[in-house]
Protein backbone atom coordinates (compact mmCIF):
# COMPACT_ATOMS: atom_id res chain seq x y z
CA UNK A 1 0.00 0.00 0.00
CA UNK A 2 1.28 3.42 -0.96
CA UNK A 3 -0.33 6.54 0.51
CA UNK A 4 -0.32 9.89 -1.27
CA UNK A 5 -1.62 13.15 0.14
CA UNK A 6 -0.37 16.31 1.79
CA UNK A 7 -3.25 16.53 4.26
CA UNK A 8 -3.63 13.75 6.83
CA UNK A 9 -7.41 13.68 6.64
CA UNK A 10 -7.56 13.35 2.83
CA UNK A 11 -5.36 10.55 1.47
CA UNK A 12 -5.26 8.37 -1.65
CA UNK A 13 -4.04 4.85 -0.98
CA UNK A 14 -2.65 2.92 -3.95
CA UNK A 15 -3.42 -0.78 -3.58
CA UNK A 16 -1.38 -2.99 -5.90
CA UNK A 17 -2.62 -6.33 -7.28
CA UNK A 18 -6.23 -5.57 -6.32
CA UNK A 19 -9.48 -5.00 -8.20
CA UNK A 20 -13.20 -4.28 -7.67
CA UNK A 21 -13.56 -7.22 -5.28
CA UNK A 22 -11.59 -5.50 -2.53
CA UNK A 23 -12.29 -1.93 -3.66
CA UNK A 24 -16.07 -2.03 -3.45
CA UNK A 25 -16.20 -4.14 -0.28
CA UNK A 26 -13.69 -1.91 1.50
CA UNK A 27 -15.46 1.24 0.34
CA UNK A 28 -18.70 -0.06 1.86
CA UNK A 29 -17.04 -0.84 5.20
CA UNK A 30 -15.23 2.52 5.38
CA UNK A 31 -18.38 4.50 4.52
CA UNK A 32 -20.14 3.01 7.56
CA UNK A 33 -17.88 5.21 9.71
CA UNK A 34 -19.71 8.50 10.50
CA UNK A 35 -16.39 10.41 10.59
CA UNK A 36 -15.77 9.67 6.89
CA UNK A 37 -16.93 12.44 4.58
CA UNK A 38 -15.91 10.80 1.28
CA UNK A 39 -14.64 7.39 0.26
CA UNK A 40 -14.23 6.12 -3.28
CA UNK A 41 -11.95 4.14 -5.50
CA UNK A 42 -11.06 3.83 -9.14
CA UNK A 43 -9.08 1.41 -11.24
CA UNK A 44 -6.42 3.37 -13.09
CA UNK A 45 -6.55 1.27 -16.26
CA UNK A 46 -8.06 -2.14 -17.11
CA UNK A 47 -4.63 -3.56 -17.93
CA UNK A 48 -3.17 -2.48 -14.54
CA UNK A 49 -4.01 -4.43 -11.40
CA UNK A 50 -4.08 -1.56 -8.93
CA UNK A 51 -6.69 0.73 -7.49
CA UNK A 52 -6.61 4.26 -6.12
CA UNK A 53 -8.59 4.30 -2.88
CA UNK A 54 -9.38 7.78 -1.53
CA UNK A 55 -10.62 8.63 1.95
CA UNK A 56 -11.52 12.07 3.27
CA UNK A 57 -12.51 12.46 6.92
CA UNK A 58 -14.24 15.17 8.88
CA UNK A 59 -12.21 17.12 11.40
CA UNK A 60 -8.81 16.05 12.66
CA UNK A 61 -9.21 12.26 12.29
CA UNK A 62 -6.37 10.94 10.09
CA UNK A 63 -7.56 8.98 7.05
CA UNK A 64 -5.42 5.99 7.98
CA UNK A 65 -7.67 5.24 10.97
CA UNK A 66 -10.90 4.50 9.05
CA UNK A 67 -8.78 2.70 6.43
CA UNK A 68 -7.39 0.32 9.09
CA UNK A 69 -10.78 -0.07 10.75
CA UNK A 70 -12.41 -0.84 7.40
CA UNK A 71 -9.82 -3.51 6.63
CA UNK A 72 -10.22 -5.09 10.08
CA UNK A 73 -14.03 -5.01 9.87
CA UNK A 74 -13.93 -6.56 6.40
CA UNK A 75 -11.64 -9.33 7.63
CA UNK A 76 -14.11 -9.99 10.47
CA UNK A 77 -17.04 -10.24 8.05
CA UNK A 78 -15.08 -12.58 5.77
CA UNK A 79 -14.13 -14.77 8.75
CA UNK A 80 -17.77 -14.93 9.85
CA UNK A 81 -18.89 -15.96 6.35
CA UNK A 82 -16.15 -18.62 6.20
CA UNK A 83 -17.09 -20.01 9.62
CA UNK A 84 -20.77 -20.10 8.71
CA UNK A 85 -20.00 -21.83 5.42
CA UNK A 86 -17.84 -24.47 7.08
Amino acid sequence: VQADGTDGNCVTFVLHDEDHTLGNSLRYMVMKNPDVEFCGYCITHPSESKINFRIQTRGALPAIEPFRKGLNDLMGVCQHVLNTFE
Side-chain angles (χ1 to χ4, degrees), residues 15-23 43 48-51:
L15 306 170
H16 297 276
D17 298 323
E18 296 298 342
D19 58 11
H20 290 288
T21 303
L22 179 66
I43 294 184
E48 294 181 11
S49 60
K50 70 177 183 178
I51 60 175

Side-chain angles (χ1 to χ4, degrees), residues 2-80:
Q2 171 189 345
D4 294 326
T6 57
D7 190 4
N9 70 338
C10 186
V11 177
T12 300
F13 301 93
V14 180
L15 306 170
H16 297 276
D17 298 323
E18 296 298 342
D19 58 11
H20 290 288
T21 303
L22 179 66
N24 197 35
S25 302
L26 184 57
R27 182 200 58 79
Y28 174 78
M29 297 306 282
V30 170
M31 281 303 295
K32 291 174 74 172
N33 187 332
D35 293 325
V36 174
E37 187 172 21
F38 173 81
C39 180
Y41 76 97
C42 69
I43 294 184
T44 56
H45 191 272
S47 67
E48 294 181 11
S49 60
K50 70 177 183 178
I51 60 175
N52 291 335
F53 194 87
R54 185 160 187 89
I55 298 175
Q56 181 175 344
T57 60
R58 294 180 173 89
L61 180 70
I64 190 71
E65 296 303 321
F67 183 67
R68 282 189 183 133
K69 183 176 180 347
L71 286 170
N72 287 329
D73 292 349
L74 185 57
M75 285 189 338
V77 168
C78 290
Q79 190 61 51
H80 174 73

